[in-house]
Amino acid sequence: MLTKFCPRCFAMNKEAATNCERCGAPLDEPVGSDYVERLIHALDHPEPNTRATAALLLGKIGDQRALEALCSKAETSKDMALLEAVAEALGNFPSQKAVDALAHLLRTSWLPVRVKAAEALKRIGTADALKVLREIALKDTSELVRKVSEDAVEHRPKTLSGSGACGT
């Protein structure tokens, strides 16, 4: 028997239902005015693969509207697959918010999530991202996290002379 998830409250409904049995919303009307809004909403879907896929797609799209939702998931989620996807997605947002969320994941999460967070900080490559890698990731208990961090710190992009970087 197939079920339909309500696009508003994610309740499961019978295949033949036209309105949600829990909230009454029409089952054929999507939430949000565009694809990014729908993906942000899908970060709360009860199906774990849907949440992770939504996070990965939001990272690939790179729309700034997703940044707050991804950072929030980094802080609050206990779903390892979602956190891995969030870490990977945040690597496409070169912002201080993304760096802070990735630093949180490096301090508090499972090994696969910490590896993804270190890889994401490496991709961001800003001075702040490299500082997090030096201060947190290079001290990680995992050799793999330390290796990703060492590689990022050692092979960081060169700055142009006169850019104000002072050779750092």
Side-chain angles (χ1 to χ4, degrees), residues 2 8 13 32 49 52 71 116:
L2 292 175
R8 299 231 186 273
N13 293 272
N49 288 335
C71 289
K116 290 285 187 187

Side-chain angles (χ1 to χ4, degrees), residues 59-125:
K60 287 184 186 303
I61 293 168
D63 190 302
Q64 289 299 309
R65 293 176 292 167
L67 182 58
E68 190 67 39
L70 291 168
C71 289
S72 176
K73 290 299 174 192
E75 296 284 332
T76 61
S77 180
K78 302 295 183 217
D79 175 350
M80 186 171 72
L82 176 59
L83 290 174
E84 283 183 84
V86 164
E88 186 171 331
L90 287 172
N92 296 319
F93 292 90
S95 73
Q96 189 59 48
K97 276 187 170 192
V99 170
D100 292 344
L102 290 165
H104 172 76
L105 291 175
L106 275 173
R107 283 189 213 97
T108 63
S109 204
W110 295 279
L111 174 60
V113 177
R114 295 195 322 267
V115 170
K116 290 285 187 187
E119 290 170 345
L121 287 163
K122 178 181 175 181
R123 278 197 325 273
I124 291 173

